[in-house]
Amino acid sequence: MKLPLAKIKPILYKAILISSSLVFLFVLSVYWGAWGDLPDNDDLLELSQQEASTIYDVNNELIGSFFLTDRQPIKQDEIPEHLRQALLATEDIRFYEHHGIDYKSLARVFFKSILLQDRSGGGGSTLTQQLAKNLFPRKSFGPLTLPVNKTKEMLIAKRLEHLYTKEELLLLYLNAVPFSGNTYGIESASFKFFNKKAAELSVVEAATLIGTLKATYSYNPQQFPERSLKRRNTVLDQMEKYGFLSSDRVDSLQEAPLELSFNKYDPLSGLAPYFREALRVQMNELLAKNDIYNLYTSGLKIHTTLDAEMQRLAEKAAETHMNRLQNNYENEYGANPPWSKKGALFQNEVKKLSAYRKLGDSLTHDEKIKALAKIRTAKLPKNLRTTRPLGSPLDSLEIALKQLSLGFVAMDPQSGAVRAWIGGADFKQSKYDHVRSSKRQVGSTFKPIVYITALEQGIDPCSYFSARQVSYENLENWTPSNSGNRDEAYLNYSMSAALSKSINTVAVKVLEEAGIQNTIQQARKMGIQSDLPEVPSIALGTASLSVLEMAKAYSAVVNQGNVAKPHIWNTVTTKKGDTLYQYKAKADPPAFSKRTQELILEMMKETVRTGTAERIRSSYGLRNAMAAKTGTTQANKDAWFVALMPEMVTVTWVGNDNYQIGFKSTALGQGANAALPVTARWLQALNRNSRFDSITKASFPQVDPEVTAMLDCEPTKRDGFLKRLFTNPDKTKTKKFRKRNSN
């Protein structure tokens, strides 16, 4: 039985009235904060977006960032017109007509999408509502989650429209909207997918990125290129529909292929990863007590000391040398290297693997080895001898054991500003930093500190010391030796010649005259803080120090005796440009006298002219003003090279992370062969670039004639006939090592 129309109308009106009242009360409850407070005007005027902190080199080149979400904001004049048009045509064509809520779109959604279940009807959210959603993430309210959040976004959108101009809202949207791959803002997305600024995007590139906004995962152009291309062309159709593009132009644009230049920022790769990690640690320490700013979300601008181009050239030089050295290293060991799976070292190291320990105690060692060999999931690092993409944990261990590593730092000796920093061969494979964290025996690179101490003690640089081997009976017959020939037992070296030739026996005798405690005190004045063994072998570099400590100590040799403290950042500013922190160096008294500085510098120049670093001239053709020192430790486990120039100090270390493995021969593993070439190749590259002329063409100050006179002596003196007659070079002299008290 049908009800008469007269009776239906009152029921219908009542239903509409009740529904409208309920909707009104619901909206009012949201407005009053029953479902959580809405942001007030002050909150909206101080919009807080998580913004990456950016890292710049000394020439203001962007070299990386610290972020939770990858976000780089842009300015109004950096938005290309076709990007704006693509956004409006696709997301909100009536953006300039509504005031935060597009009632026409809401009506379309209600009738077409809800009542008629036609998904082609699209959504009803305006750009301003989407902005509200991005700035204030949705919360769960059970079955009312969607209506509560949608209502909140509408109310926030109305407030935003009242507080900001349309252009400001558009800019806020483009800086806040999420793109594919945890990327926020058009600038970050542009760099990630096309390796260019948003201002440089072409029409098809802009359409590609705007197309991803509908579904950032489904339309990710890297993961789903065909789907992304189709969506891009839909955006171009929309631009034609609303008169932003002609039909002919759209046809040609839609035929263009999807060409990406993917440039995802990866903290494990990119330029200077070890430097950036050291910077991250320092910045977190700096901001630890700051309640306002956060390294990952506050958009700070960190201006560092690094020179990006110097770093690139250093990384290239290191890669070229290390690839060649690694190949020679493996070839020299041949078929039975110490890292062989059959060797005792490998069998001992495999027990430390977590995969080995997880197998429990029920299996024997051999059974565990067989089980591990069958696992084929471990990724193998890039290596000249390995082409397999996957391997067992045993394969990975074998490669790790044979892998050489390095540490390299280049520093301004006057200011301590670090210009280049390489902490290892591959940051993805090993985060261990051989510049700041690793401490290895420094070998002969410690000898100049011994000689500096001697000079400070008033010992004449032309004093002669016998190179003859001595066995020190009060040191358990410790007998330091040289790598020279038998006839060396008859030679007496001046201090300068002994240093340039790195004569071990003389270094110990100079230490005996200078005093061990005096030498340790001198090292402390030069900024060395690590433990120093109070033993005579310290003269031969048995102390374990870091690359950064060595650079710090050696800065005094070219800086009037003043130690330059290494630092890696200059200023930290807020995103508005206000200075938050500025690095200020603390001046300490000179580590030694200017006269000693001039003398030791001249003595170390001789190392380049005729000594152990001579190949930097002969083999690499470098004529830069330079002093240097090489270092090689016992069993060829550590190779060092220190280069001193008027405007730059470099320190290089090369070796195996596993201290049980050294180079097989001194010829390959000595500092002049394993470490020196990194600096040499780097300097060759710098010399070819006129931008670095102020460094590469710098000259040392003219030598004081008095210094020249103090060093004017024969490098060696041969024992007289009678002394040679009664000296048996094959018989080691025995004596007690004399320990001096410190002065």
Side-chain angles (χ1 to χ4, degrees):
M1 179 181 175
K2 293 184 178 180
L3 290 173
L5 185 62
K7 290 187 176 181
I8 293 176
K9 282 185 176 179
I11 296 173
L12 187 61
Y13 290 153
K14 187 178 289 186
I16 293 173
L17 181 62
I18 292 172
S19 299
S20 300
S21 299
L22 289 174
V23 170
F24 176 76
L25 289 173
F26 173 74
V27 172
L28 206 59
S29 71
V30 174
Y31 180 81
W32 281 340
W35 307 90
D37 292 337
L38 293 174
D40 58 25
N41 287 355
D42 289 338
D43 294 327
L44 295 176
L45 286 171
E46 290 292 333
L47 289 175
S48 176
Q49 300 178 37
Q50 285 190 359
E51 192 173 312
S53 292
T54 46
I55 312 166
Y56 300 90
D57 86 330
V58 71
N59 298 306
N60 214 35
E61 178 182 334
L62 181 66
I63 58 173
S65 54
F66 300 118
F67 59 86
L68 296 179
T69 53
D70 191 359
R71 187 196 308 272
Q72 294 297 324
I74 58 173
K75 298 177 182 177
Q76 195 72 244
D77 58 3
E78 295 173 320
I79 305 174
E81 187 60 25
H82 50 261
L83 174 64
R84 186 193 312 269
Q85 293 168 348
L87 178 63
L88 296 177
T90 310
E91 297 294 325
D92 191 356
I93 193 60
R94 285 186 289 275
F95 176 69
Y96 288 100
E97 299 171 17
H98 62 68
H99 298 287
I101 303 173
D102 187 348
Y103 296 104
K104 290 182 181 180
S105 293
L106 284 178
R108 184 194 70 239
V109 170
F110 179 76
F111 287 105
K112 195 171 182 180
S113 299
I114 298 177
L115 295 182
L116 301 178
Q117 295 295 300
D118 184 355
R119 293 187 179 182
S120 67
S125 292
T126 64
L127 286 180
T128 320
Q129 287 172 246
Q130 293 178 42
L131 174 61
K133 175 184 173 182
N134 291 324
L135 293 176
F136 303 97
R138 290 177 171 180
K139 297 179 180 178
S140 177
F141 299 99
L144 292 176
T145 294
L146 186 60
V148 169
N149 283 309
K150 280 285 188 181
T151 303
K152 278 189 169 188
E153 287 158 14
M154 289 181 184
L155 294 171
I156 294 171
K158 294 291 288 183
R159 292 183 182 181
L160 286 169
E161 292 273 348
H162 176 71
L163 295 170
Y164 293 93
T165 67
K166 287 289 186 180
E167 297 305 321
E168 289 171 337
L169 289 171
L170 195 66
L171 181 63
L172 281 171
Y173 178 88
L174 284 170
N175 280 333
V177 66
F179 287 87
S180 301
N182 196 34
T183 305
Y184 286 73
I186 188 64
E187 185 81 342
S188 291
S190 179
F191 270 114
K192 176 171 288 187
F193 293 104
F194 298 107
N195 197 21
K196 60 174 64 173
K197 295 180 179 180
E200 300 168 350
L201 288 171
S202 68
V203 175
V204 291
E205 291 167 345
T208 300
L209 294 180
I210 294 301
T212 67
L213 297 177
K214 184 177 177 66
T216 56
Y217 176 75
S218 298
Y219 294 116
N220 186 316
Q222 188 202 26
Q223 294 181 309
F224 308 106
E226 293 182 4
R227 202 182 295 170
S228 178
L229 182 64
K230 186 177 179 180
R231 177 62 184 165
R232 180 204 73 181
N233 288 344
T234 299
V235 174
L236 294 172
D237 283 334
Q238 288 293 103
M239 295 177 74
E240 179 194 2
K241 176 181 177 180
Y242 293 110
F244 296 128
L245 293 173
S246 67
S247 58
D248 291 341
R249 181 98 190 275
V250 168
D251 289 342
S252 64
L253 291 174
Q254 288 182 336
E255 291 177 1
L258 179 63
E259 295 181 344
L260 301 178
S261 178
F262 195 71
N263 191 37
K264 179 183 177 182
Y265 173 73
D266 180 0
L268 301 184
S269 61
L271 190 70
Y274 292 94
F275 175 89
R276 286 186 278 115
E277 174 59 16
L279 182 69
R280 185 190 67 81
V281 172
Q282 286 195 19
M283 289 297 105
N284 276 328
E285 290 174 353
L286 196 65
L287 295 165
K289 297 181 180 179
N290 194 313
D291 296 328
I292 300 174
Y293 296 101
N294 181 284
L295 179 62
Y296 307 100
T297 61
S298 297
L300 303 176
K301 297 184 183 300
I302 305 164
H303 297 271
T304 73
T305 62
L306 195 82
D307 187 303
E309 183 59 20
M310 278 191 184
Q311 178 72 23
R312 276 187 281 268
L313 295 175
E315 289 182 6
K316 178 63 177 175
E319 180 184 16
T320 300
H321 170 64
M322 292 302 291
N323 283 342
R324 181 176 298 178
L325 185 67
Q326 182 75 38
N327 193 49
N328 293 338
Y329 174 67
E330 294 178 31
N331 286 336
E332 189 174 57
Y333 267 113
N336 296 303
W339 54 80
S340 169
K341 291 177 183 176
K342 297 179 181 180
L345 173 64
F346 185 93
Q347 294 299 315
N348 185 55
E349 291 296 317
V350 77
K351 295 176 183 177
K352 301 176 184 178
L353 295 177
S354 59
Y356 180 95
R357 295 196 298 268
K358 286 179 181 178
L359 292 173
D361 298 327
S362 60
L363 300 178
T364 66
H365 174 74
D366 290 341
E367 288 172 337
K368 290 180 181 180
I369 294 295
K370 289 180 181 179
L372 291 176
K374 294 178 181 178
I375 301 174
R376 312 302 294 180
T377 57
K379 290 184 179 180
L380 296 177
K382 182 180 178 182
N383 187 275
L384 292 174
R385 293 172 174 266
T386 304
T387 57
R388 293 166 294 173
L390 294 174
S392 71
L394 303 181
D395 295 327
S396 293
L397 176 61
E398 184 180 36
I399 290 175
L401 285 175
K402 71 180 177 182
Q403 198 70 41
L404 292 172
S405 195
L406 84 156
F408 170 87
V409 72
M411 186 185 84
D412 182 324
Q414 278 75 44
S415 67
V418 172
R419 302 303 186 201
W421 176 311
I422 305 174
D426 189 339
F427 189 71
K428 286 186 177 181
Q429 298 301 327
S430 174
K431 314 297 180 293
Y432 191 57
D433 191 339
H434 290 283
V435 170
R436 66 186 175 98
S437 301
S438 173
K439 292 184 179 182
R440 300 289 291 241
Q441 287 192 353
V442 293
S444 295
T445 56
F446 193 85
K447 288 176 183 175
I449 299 175
V450 175
Y451 284 76
I452 287 169
T453 308
L455 293 172
E456 286 289 277
Q457 295 298 311
I459 298 173
D460 192 316
C462 273
S463 299
Y464 287 90
F465 294 83
S466 171
R468 186 180 179 185
Q469 190 170 286
V470 173
S471 181
Y472 295 97
E473 56 188 10
N474 60 334
L475 301 174
E476 298 181 350
N477 292 317
W478 175 59
T479 311
S481 60
N482 303 318
S483 57
N485 55 40
R486 184 169 179 266
D487 192 51
E488 206 166 53
Y490 300 124
L491 290 179
N492 300 280
Y493 283 83
S494 70
M495 283 175 59
S496 180
L499 181 61
S500 71
K501 299 293 183 183
S502 204
I503 307 299
N504 289 338
T505 52
V506 173
V508 175
K509 292 168 184 174
V510 172
L511 175 73
E512 188 176 22
E513 292 298 316
I516 296 176
Q517 290 183 1
N518 290 334
T519 301
I520 291 175
Q521 289 176 10
Q522 182 61 61
R524 298 285 182 232
K525 291 178 184 178
M526 294 171 69
I528 292 176
Q529 298 175 328
S530 296
D531 291 338
L532 295 171
E534 197 172 326
V535 293
S537 62
I538 194 176
L540 308 183
T542 53
S544 294
L545 307 175
S546 73
V547 168
L548 209 56
E549 274 185 300
M550 295 300 284
K552 181 180 181 181
Y554 273 108
S555 67
V557 178
V558 286
N559 189 30
Q560 308 291 314
N562 298 297
V563 176
K565 295 180 176 64
H567 69 281
I568 60 177
W569 60 274
N570 290 320
T571 59
V572 179
T573 63
T574 66
K575 59 185 177 182
K576 293 181 180 179
D578 299 326
T579 299
L580 193 60
Y581 299 103
Q582 185 159 4
Y583 177 81
K584 292 182 180 179
K586 181 183 177 182
D588 290 328
F592 43 81
S593 68
K594 188 173 184 298
R595 176 61 77 230
T596 294
Q597 180 263 321
E598 292 171 320
L599 287 167
I600 196 65
L601 181 60
E602 288 305 303
M603 291 163 69
M604 292 182 70
K605 285 181 187 178
E606 194 61 37
T607 305
V608 175
R609 285 193 288 261
T610 62
T612 57
E614 184 271 336
R615 71 174 65 184
I616 205 164
R617 300 269 196 241
S618 61
S619 298
Y620 294 94
L622 292 169
R623 294 293 175 262
N624 308 67
M626 189 186 307
K629 188 71 192 80
T630 59
T632 311
T633 62
Q634 192 172 17
N636 308 308
K637 291 178 179 178
D638 301 280
W640 290 82
F641 179 65
V642 176
L644 307 179
M645 293 164 278
E647 303 295 334
M648 193 67 63
V649 169
T650 72
V651 179
T652 308
W653 166 87
V654 172
N656 194 308
D657 278 338
N658 190 304
Y659 201 68
Q660 299 174 80
I661 305 174
F663 288 88
K664 189 174 183 180
S665 71
T666 302
L668 187 65
Q670 63 181 302
N673 184 75
L676 179 150
V678 176
T679 296
R681 289 179 180 277
W682 180 64
L683 278 176
Q684 285 177 331
L686 292 188
N687 286 344
R688 291 191 290 266
N689 191 331
S690 60
R691 179 188 146 193
F692 302 117
D693 283 356
S694 61
I695 294 169
T696 58
K697 294 184 178 180
S699 300
F700 288 115
Q702 188 172 357
V703 183
D704 188 324
E706 192 173 317
V707 171
T708 304
M710 292 177 71
L711 294 169
D712 186 16
C713 52
E714 291 297 320
T716 60
K717 284 184 178 180
R718 189 172 170 83
D719 286 338
F721 173 76
L722 289 177
K723 190 170 184 179
R724 294 201 309 273
L725 184 65
F726 292 102
T727 299
N728 182 355
D730 295 322
K731 185 178 180 180
T732 301
K733 182 180 179 180
T734 302
K735 61 165 286 190
K736 290 185 178 181
F737 185 89
R738 187 177 76 258
K739 295 183 179 181
R740 290 184 53 185
N741 295 324
S742 60
N743 292 338

